[in-house]
CSV table of all heavy atoms in Angstrom, one decimal:
chain,number,residue,atom,x,y,z
A,392,SER,N,-18.7,81.8,-141.7
A,392,SER,CA,-18.3,80.5,-141.4
A,392,SER,C,-18.0,80.4,-139.9
A,392,SER,O,-18.4,79.4,-139.3
A,392,SER,CB,-17.0,80.1,-142.1
A,392,SER,OG,-17.1,80.3,-143.5
A,393,VAL,N,-17.4,81.4,-139.3
A,393,VAL,CA,-17.2,81.3,-137.8
A,393,VAL,C,-18.5,81.3,-137.1
A,393,VAL,O,-18.7,80.5,-136.2
A,393,VAL,CB,-16.2,82.5,-137.4
A,393,VAL,CG1,-16.1,82.5,-135.8
A,393,VAL,CG2,-14.9,82.4,-138.0
A,394,LEU,N,-19.4,82.2,-137.5
A,394,LEU,CA,-20.7,82.2,-136.8
A,394,LEU,C,-21.4,80.9,-137.0
A,394,LEU,O,-22.0,80.4,-136.0
A,394,LEU,CB,-21.5,83.4,-137.4
A,394,LEU,CG,-22.9,83.5,-136.7
A,394,LEU,CD1,-23.1,85.0,-136.3
A,394,LEU,CD2,-24.0,83.1,-137.5
A,395,GLU,N,-21.4,80.3,-138.2
A,395,GLU,CA,-22.1,79.0,-138.4
A,395,GLU,C,-21.5,77.9,-137.5
A,395,GLU,O,-22.3,77.0,-137.1
A,395,GLU,CB,-22.0,78.6,-139.9
A,395,GLU,CG,-23.0,79.4,-140.7
A,395,GLU,CD,-22.9,79.2,-142.2
A,395,GLU,OE1,-21.8,78.7,-142.6
A,395,GLU,OE2,-23.8,79.6,-142.9
A,396,MET,N,-20.2,78.0,-137.2
A,396,MET,CA,-19.7,76.9,-136.3
A,396,MET,C,-20.1,77.1,-134.9
A,396,MET,O,-20.3,76.1,-134.2
A,396,MET,CB,-18.1,77.0,-136.4
A,396,MET,CG,-17.6,76.5,-137.7
A,396,MET,SD,-15.8,76.8,-137.9
A,396,MET,CE,-15.2,75.5,-136.7
A,397,LEU,N,-20.3,78.3,-134.5
A,397,LEU,CA,-20.7,78.6,-133.1
A,397,LEU,C,-22.2,78.6,-132.8
A,397,LEU,O,-22.7,78.3,-131.7
A,397,LEU,CB,-20.1,80.0,-132.7
A,397,LEU,CG,-18.6,80.1,-132.6
A,397,LEU,CD1,-18.2,81.6,-132.5
A,397,LEU,CD2,-18.0,79.3,-131.5
A,398,GLU,N,-23.0,78.8,-133.9
A,398,GLU,CA,-24.4,79.0,-133.8
A,398,GLU,C,-25.1,77.8,-133.1
A,398,GLU,O,-25.9,78.1,-132.2
A,398,GLU,CB,-25.0,79.2,-135.2
A,398,GLU,CG,-26.5,79.2,-135.3
A,398,GLU,CD,-27.2,80.3,-134.6
A,398,GLU,OE1,-26.6,81.3,-134.2
A,398,GLU,OE2,-28.4,80.1,-134.4
A,399,PRO,N,-24.8,76.6,-133.4
A,399,PRO,CA,-25.5,75.5,-132.8
A,399,PRO,C,-25.2,75.2,-131.3
A,399,PRO,O,-25.8,74.4,-130.6
A,399,PRO,CB,-25.2,74.3,-133.6
A,399,PRO,CG,-24.1,74.6,-134.5
A,399,PRO,CD,-23.8,76.1,-134.4
A,400,LEU,N,-24.1,75.8,-130.8
A,400,LEU,CA,-23.6,75.5,-129.5
A,400,LEU,C,-24.4,76.2,-128.3
A,400,LEU,O,-24.5,77.4,-128.3
A,400,LEU,CB,-22.1,75.8,-129.4
A,400,LEU,CG,-21.2,75.3,-130.5
A,400,LEU,CD1,-19.8,75.7,-130.3
A,400,LEU,CD2,-21.3,73.7,-130.5
A,401,SER,N,-24.8,75.4,-127.4
A,401,SER,CA,-25.6,75.9,-126.3
A,401,SER,C,-24.8,76.8,-125.4
A,401,SER,O,-25.3,77.7,-124.7
A,401,SER,CB,-26.3,74.8,-125.5
A,401,SER,OG,-25.2,74.0,-124.9
A,402,GLY,N,-23.4,76.6,-125.4
A,402,GLY,CA,-22.6,77.5,-124.5
A,402,GLY,C,-22.4,78.9,-125.1
A,402,GLY,O,-21.8,79.7,-124.4
A,403,VAL,N,-22.8,79.1,-126.3
A,403,VAL,CA,-22.7,80.5,-126.9
A,403,VAL,C,-24.1,81.1,-127.0
A,403,VAL,O,-25.0,80.5,-127.6
A,403,VAL,CB,-22.1,80.5,-128.2
A,403,VAL,CG1,-22.1,81.8,-128.9
A,403,VAL,CG2,-20.6,80.0,-128.1
A,404,HIS,N,-24.4,82.2,-126.2
A,404,HIS,CA,-25.7,82.7,-126.2
A,404,HIS,C,-26.0,83.8,-127.2
A,404,HIS,O,-27.2,84.1,-127.5
A,404,HIS,CB,-26.0,83.3,-124.8
A,404,HIS,CG,-25.8,82.3,-123.7
A,404,HIS,ND1,-24.7,82.2,-122.9
A,404,HIS,CD2,-26.6,81.3,-123.3
A,404,HIS,CE1,-24.8,81.2,-122.1
A,404,HIS,NE2,-25.9,80.6,-122.3
A,405,GLY,N,-24.9,84.4,-127.8
A,405,GLY,CA,-25.1,85.5,-128.7
A,405,GLY,C,-23.8,85.9,-129.3
A,405,GLY,O,-22.7,85.3,-129.0
A,406,PHE,N,-23.9,86.8,-130.3
A,406,PHE,CA,-22.7,87.2,-131.0
A,406,PHE,C,-22.4,88.7,-131.0
A,406,PHE,O,-23.4,89.5,-131.1
A,406,PHE,CB,-22.8,86.8,-132.5
A,406,PHE,CG,-23.0,85.3,-132.6
A,406,PHE,CD1,-24.2,84.7,-132.8
A,406,PHE,CD2,-21.9,84.4,-132.5
A,406,PHE,CE1,-24.4,83.4,-132.9
A,406,PHE,CE2,-22.1,83.0,-132.5
A,406,PHE,CZ,-23.3,82.5,-132.8
A,407,GLU,N,-21.2,89.1,-130.8
A,407,GLU,CA,-20.8,90.5,-131.1
A,407,GLU,C,-19.8,90.5,-132.2
A,407,GLU,O,-18.8,89.8,-132.2
A,407,GLU,CB,-20.1,91.1,-129.8
A,407,GLU,CG,-19.8,92.6,-130.0
A,407,GLU,CD,-19.1,93.2,-128.8
A,407,GLU,OE1,-17.9,92.8,-128.5
A,407,GLU,OE2,-19.7,94.0,-128.1
A,408,ILE,N,-20.2,91.3,-133.3
A,408,ILE,CA,-19.4,91.2,-134.5
A,408,ILE,C,-18.4,92.4,-134.5
A,408,ILE,O,-18.9,93.6,-134.4
A,408,ILE,CB,-20.3,91.2,-135.7
A,408,ILE,CG1,-21.4,90.1,-135.6
A,408,ILE,CG2,-19.5,91.1,-137.0
A,408,ILE,CD1,-20.8,88.7,-135.4
Side-chain angles (χ1 to χ4, degrees):
S392 307
V393 175
L394 182 132
E395 281 171 348
M396 287 173 75
L397 296 168
E398 168 66 18
L400 307 177
S401 61
V403 172
H404 303 100
F406 301 101
E407 181 180 73
I408 307 305

